[in-house]
Structure formats: C-alpha cells, structure tokens
Amino acid sequence: FQAEDGIRDQPRSRGLGDVYKRQILSPIGTLPFIEIEGEVNLDYSSSISTVGLDTVTFGMTVKNAQKAAGTRFSPVTPRSECFLAIPDKGPKGITFWIIESTVERIDIDNELIRTRSGAGIGDTESLIYELFGEKIETKILPESSEKLLVYVPSDSSDKNFRVVFKSDGRLITRLWSGRLPWVEMTEIC
C-alpha cells in the first residue's frame, strides 16, 4: 500500500523542488541533544508511504522521530514553528519538515528510496499511473512542463495524507509524502 500526494498549485510558484532541490542542504545548527541507542534505521532500502518513512511516522515528535530513525537530525533552515532538517547519519536526500515540533512531511531526493510499491525517482509517469490508477490526481505546475502526480488514498484512515511524485513531464524527479496541508505546500514553510 503506497501513497503519493497532491499539491495545490499556486500561481507564482514553480514548486518546492525548484526552491531547494538545486541547493546543497547543509546543517545550520543543532537540535537539543538526545541519546540515540542502536543502529541507524534509515538506509537505501527504506520506503516512503502515506504514513512516513519506515519507522518515522507523521505526527511523531522530533525527539521520537530521531530515536525511531536511529540518528539525530540537524536543521537546514532556521528553527521556527516550521523548519527543515536532515538526518545526521543514513542516506543522503531525505528532508524532514518539522512543524510545531512534529514531523509532518518527508521529501525524498534519492533514487534508491522508493514507495512500498517500488515507485520512485527515475520512473516514468506511465508507471505511476499503472501502479496507482484512479488514485492519482494530476496537477500541472504553472509556466512549466512539470507535473505533480498525487496519490490520494482511498482508505478513510489515510484521508489526510498524500504521496506526491514530481515529474519533468516524462520521468519522476522527486517525491514526498506527508499530512495535509503541508504535503500540498509548493514553497518551503
């Protein structure tokens, strides 16, 4: 069971990917120290779904998410009510959106991390439609050939979650998952 998310088009935005995809995300600070026991739980076989990334689920506190991931997170945007953070250890290309101290969205810019159904960066739009059929809503980004293929789950318990595949018009170039309304944002919070 996998999910992709829909993002609301906003007239002057070309999408989140354009905002920071080309930037190298570097830590700009630290979060309060917590003791991490055991191994890093995020790796290249991790999978993203409507509920989160492996053991890191939406709605978890930052502290519990770090423990579930087996690694500390470092902020890559200034800490405020909403900020972005990356794991200190594990695969590159994972960005956590922290809103009011809980994980509400996870962005993936790593072709090895895929959905539970096996979809991910580098796949064709046609494969996404084949895998998810009528559960995909297509949104064309303004002034662009880019599209958002949004997986909308049919299960009522997942109605507030989405998985979004961003396409260049042919291939998937990035993906993210999260809870409404953050999963629909096209600019960094």
Side-chain angles (χ1 to χ4, degrees):
F1 154 116
Q2 200 76 356
E4 278 56 303
D5 170 63
I7 294 186
R8 274 183 215 137
D9 293 337
Q10 299 197 356
R12 292 187 197 104
S13 175
R14 293 198 57 210
L16 177 65
D18 294 328
V19 176
Y20 77 94
K21 181 178 179 187
R22 285 174 243 143
Q23 297 177 14
I24 295 173
L25 298 177
S26 300
I28 61 169
T30 59
L31 296 174
F33 180 79
I34 64 162
E35 190 69 37
I36 302 290
E37 297 176 10
E39 301 285 320
V40 176
N41 295 321
L42 302 176
D43 60 27
Y44 292 108
S45 66
S46 292
S47 63
I48 192 163
S49 70
T50 53
V51 297
L53 180 66
D54 290 347
T55 57
V56 179
T57 57
F58 301 120
M60 273 187 165
T61 64
V62 176
K63 180 179 179 180
N64 288 340
Q66 291 175 99
K67 287 181 178 183
T71 182
R72 296 189 65 216
F73 299 166
S74 292
V76 293
T77 60
R79 286 182 59 198
S80 63
E81 267 188 28
C82 178
F83 65 95
L84 306 182
I86 58 174
D88 290 355
K89 297 179 182 173
K92 302 294 182 208
I94 299 171
T95 306
F96 296 97
W97 284 46
I98 314 297
I99 292 97
E100 297 179 2
S101 300
T102 62
V103 175
E104 297 296 343
R105 174 172 159 168
I106 302 171
D107 292 11
I108 303 296
D109 288 294
N110 181 317
E111 48 285 324
L112 297 176
I113 297 174
R114 308 185 73 78
T115 66
R116 292 180 186 167
S117 299
I121 296 171
D123 289 341
T124 62
E125 285 184 4
S126 60
L127 177 63
I128 303 306
Y129 290 116
E130 182 181 315
L131 287 171
F132 305 110
E134 294 178 0
K135 293 181 181 179
I136 293 292
E137 292 179 359
T138 303
K139 301 182 185 245
I140 298 172
L141 295 173
E143 302 176 27
S144 170
S145 61
E146 295 176 314
K147 298 178 196 171
L148 300 177
L149 307 182
V150 180
Y151 174 86
V152 179
S154 55
D155 187 327
S156 63
S157 65
D158 287 339
K159 69 181 179 182
N160 293 321
F161 300 90
R162 304 285 187 273
V163 177
V164 178
F165 296 94
K166 185 175 182 186
S167 162
D168 64 6
R170 191 174 73 79
L171 298 176
I172 303 307
T173 58
R174 70 190 323 248
L175 68 147
W176 60 89
S177 180
R179 190 184 336 221
L180 296 171
W182 302 282
V183 74
E184 294 182 322
M185 292 179 68
T186 57
E187 295 184 16
I188 295 174
C189 57

